[in-house]
Amino acid sequence: MAGKAGEFGPWQGLWLMLGYVLAQLLGNALPYVVWGVGVGLDAELHGPPAVRPHPGDGVLAWAALFGFIISALWLIFYVRRRARPLLRQGDARGIAWCAPRQHHAYAVAAAAALAAMLFASLMVAALPPDPDRLTGPLSRLLSAPGWPRFTVLVLAVGGAPLVEELLFRGALFAAVARRWGVSPAGVITTAVFMLLHVFDKIDWWPGFVVVGMLGALLVLLRVRYRSLWPGVFAHFLYNSSLFFIL
């Protein structure tokens, strides 16, 4: 049974985020558990290997895929159960899963994405990352050949814009804004957005600045057009550009 809209506030936003993170960790862990069981069974049947095995990029790709799917399912389940009446409500107290009324919203979103791309390019040029220190999951999968790179391409370009906009600028933003207002909601959701990219940005600190700028632009699009879809479009364009910037 769907929860009442009035019950959806910061506490519900906290539970939403905790469930999302735990679901992602669970999904990430499953392929490694399966891989470890397989290695153990192989050692029992054929004896210990001469070289200690390590999970490769294929296992990491499965971990990214399972983590994405399980956390996305949790997000959809929680929003539908706790905040369904808010889904198509476009003001700051709603989730704004609705089309913008202004047709030029997508042109502005493209311009915002271009600004974020240029800023990211300038940061890379001014403070270039050390490729040998980029050990985060995204960096590893981007440099991997074959289907692991294809997997991260699909997730980053096709999946993340939809899921992350519904999560950060949609449900979490509404949960905070309903109690504390628009500005705190923008600051908190952008900070959490940056924090959840820590594993990919920890080896290159300017990445946090880039993610923060992108998050701020996406909040502005969400508030200005009372819709998540311009942000989804901008997020899609920006994530697509990462495969050429980095």
Side-chain angles (χ1 to χ4, degrees), residues 32 57 60-61 64 130-144 152 197-204:
Y32 286 95
D57 293 329
L60 178 61
D130 181 356
D132 295 330
R133 296 185 59 190
L134 296 179
T135 58
L138 178 61
S139 299
R140 280 184 55 186
L141 291 174
L142 282 174
S143 61
V152 75
H197 286 79
V198 65
F199 293 112
D200 287 312
K201 307 304 179 187
I202 193 67
D203 297 317
W204 185 57

Side-chain angles (χ1 to χ4, degrees), residues 12-20 74-75 78-79 167 171-172:
Q12 286 71 37
L14 177 62
W15 285 115
L16 169 66
M17 290 306 307
L18 288 175
Y20 180 85
W74 162 258
L75 170 64
Y78 193 85
V79 168
L167 174 64
L172 184 60

Side-chain angles (χ1 to χ4, degrees), residues 4 33 72 109 164 178 206 216:
K4 296 179 180 178
V33 171
E164 292 185 355
R178 290 172 66 82

Side-chain angles (χ1 to χ4, degrees), residues 6-227:
E7 298 174 351
F8 195 73
W11 277 112
Q12 286 71 37
L14 177 62
W15 285 115
L16 169 66
M17 290 306 307
L18 288 175
Y20 180 85
V21 171
L22 290 174
Q24 195 161 75
L25 291 174
L26 174 62
N28 291 159
L30 284 175
Y32 286 95
V33 171
V34 173
W35 175 84
V37 170
V39 169
L41 289 175
D42 186 70
E44 288 291 332
L45 294 173
H46 304 103
V51 179
R52 183 178 180 181
H54 293 278
D57 293 329
V59 178
L60 178 61
W62 279 113
L65 181 61
F66 273 77
F68 178 85
I69 291 173
I70 295 177
S71 58
L73 290 175
W74 162 258
L75 170 64
I76 294 168
F77 165 79
Y78 193 85
V79 168
R80 285 175 62 87
R81 183 170 181 82
R82 301 294 302 182
R84 183 182 291 187
L86 305 178
L87 265 175
R88 300 190 181 280
Q89 183 177 323
D91 61 59
R93 295 170 57 84
I95 294 176
W97 192 253
C98 53
R101 295 181 180 179
Q102 300 94 329
H103 295 296
H104 67 270
Y106 294 103
V108 176
L114 178 60
M117 293 176 205
L118 292 174
F119 182 71
S121 299
L122 290 173
M123 293 294 284
V124 170
L127 299 165
D130 181 356
D132 295 330
R133 296 185 59 190
L134 296 179
T135 58
L138 178 61
S139 299
R140 280 184 55 186
L141 291 174
L142 282 174
S143 61
W147 82 271
R149 191 175 192 275
F150 176 76
T151 298
V152 75
L153 171 67
V154 172
L155 294 181
V157 176
L162 288 166
V163 171
E164 292 185 355
E165 291 313 303
L166 177 59
L167 174 64
F168 293 107
R169 266 66 62 176
L172 184 60
F173 184 91
V176 177
R178 290 172 66 82
R179 178 67 59 84
W180 296 324
V182 172
S183 295
V187 171
I188 290 171
T189 54
T190 301
V192 176
F193 183 59
M194 294 167 64
L195 182 62
L196 262 64
H197 286 79
V198 65
F199 293 112
D200 287 312
K201 307 304 179 187
I202 193 67
D203 297 317
W204 185 57
W205 68 263
F208 288 107
V209 181
V210 173
V211 171
M213 179 190 178
L214 175 65
L217 289 173
L218 294 173
V219 167
L220 291 175
L221 289 172
R222 183 258 178 273
V223 173
R224 172 65 180 83
Y225 295 107
R226 300 164 65 95
S227 168

